[in-house]
Amino acid sequence: MPDSRPRLLASDLEGVLVPEIWIAFAEKTGIEQLRLTTRDVSDYDQLMQMRLKVLKERNLRLQDIQEVIATISPLSGAVEFVDWVRERVQFVILSDTFNEFAKPLMAKLGYPTIFCHSLEVDGSGSITGYRLRLDQSKRKAISAFRDLQFQTLAMGDSYNDIAMLKMADVGVLFDPPANVVDDHPDFPVVRNYCEAKETVEAWLSERG
């Protein structure tokens, strides 16, 4: 029997649609530790605690990061890809970034829907912690969409995307590093937006 469920595409943000924010900040500040991302470290809390420690040691504040984010543009072709997807299927971004980082990037992408986390910031503007919207939020979002009778395709590039890719009806790695591919060889890999469009078109053409 054909699968008549409506379809929904969920995408990661950084590394798929925009450059990695922490890498851009590392390049601005010259702090090599901050170049590490979820492509390198699978434990998200361990990664964030390291980042918070570095920010505190260097007396760097939220505004310092936001000033760098203001200079970041979407990856070449990302805006067109998002527009193309939204013309064809429901679309949402599931990200482990923070509301305080994401807002200007969403404006540049045409204001797609994004689910992400929040930062804890003190009166001086220093980042003191972070609040997860929900533990395992990407996986649980896909699970909820499936409970709502959506057929889902999830796309990401890092270790923190693997749980949602496994939960989705179709999971796709977008231009991932070799270590992620080696650790998770079962997922199909696309390297650019043209290949991503071909994968989405094939998925949308399936009758289930």
Side-chain angles (χ1 to χ4, degrees):
M1 182 177 178
D3 189 338
S4 61
R5 292 177 297 165
R7 308 210 179 190
L8 181 144
L9 191 155
S11 175
D12 181 33
L13 178 65
E14 295 176 68
V16 177
L17 301 173
V18 303
E20 294 281 352
I21 291 169
W22 289 99
I23 290 178
F25 190 59
E27 291 174 351
K28 174 69 174 181
T29 60
I31 303 172
E32 282 299 307
Q33 273 182 289
L34 294 180
R35 295 185 66 86
L36 294 174
T37 71
T38 52
R39 285 175 161 229
D40 310 296
V41 181
S42 59
D43 186 319
Y44 184 71
D45 184 65
Q46 176 185 338
L47 180 63
M48 278 304 303
Q49 293 303 327
M50 178 276 291
R51 289 167 170 170
L52 294 173
K53 182 173 182 289
V54 170
L55 294 178
K56 183 177 181 179
E57 290 173 349
R58 301 296 185 100
N59 197 30
L60 294 165
R61 293 176 168 82
L62 174 59
Q63 182 179 347
D64 298 311
I65 303 175
Q66 289 176 326
E67 288 173 356
V68 173
I69 293 171
T71 70
I72 294 175
S73 296
L75 296 171
S76 178
V79 174
E80 294 78 8
F81 176 70
V82 170
D83 289 343
W84 181 90
V85 169
R86 293 172 77 183
E87 288 175 2
R88 289 161 175 78
V89 66
Q90 296 295 315
F91 177 71
V92 64
I93 296 172
L94 303 179
S95 175
D96 280 329
T97 192
F98 306 98
N99 290 311
E100 295 82 359
F101 291 178
K103 187 174 180 179
L105 298 172
M106 293 305 98
K108 293 176 181 180
L109 286 169
Y111 295 103
T113 297
I114 182 170
F115 299 162
C116 56
H117 308 304
S118 299
L119 292 169
E120 297 174 347
V121 183
D122 68 15
S124 71
S126 297
I127 302 172
T128 58
Y130 69 98
R131 294 188 300 275
L132 294 180
R133 181 171 51 83
L134 190 67
D135 185 46
Q136 287 290 312
S137 60
K138 293 185 179 187
R139 179 183 63 79
K140 290 178 180 176
I142 295 294
S143 178
F145 289 135
R146 294 188 66 177
D147 287 344
L148 290 167
Q149 294 302 302
F150 282 100
Q151 186 179 164
T152 55
L153 183 150
M155 186 167 60
D157 69 318
S158 301
Y159 286 113
N160 65 324
D161 298 314
I162 297 301
M164 79 165 177
L165 268 58
K166 289 181 176 178
M167 178 59 65
D169 294 286
V170 177
V172 179
L173 285 168
F174 182 92
D175 197 24
N179 54 299
V180 174
V181 176
D182 290 344
D183 289 345
H184 300 280
D186 295 338
F187 292 110
V189 174
V190 298
R191 291 293 178 185
N192 52 56
Y193 297 123
C194 288
E195 293 180 5
K197 286 181 180 180
E198 291 174 359
T199 297
V200 173
E201 285 180 329
W203 174 59
L204 292 175
S205 68
E206 293 174 354
R207 298 187 63 84

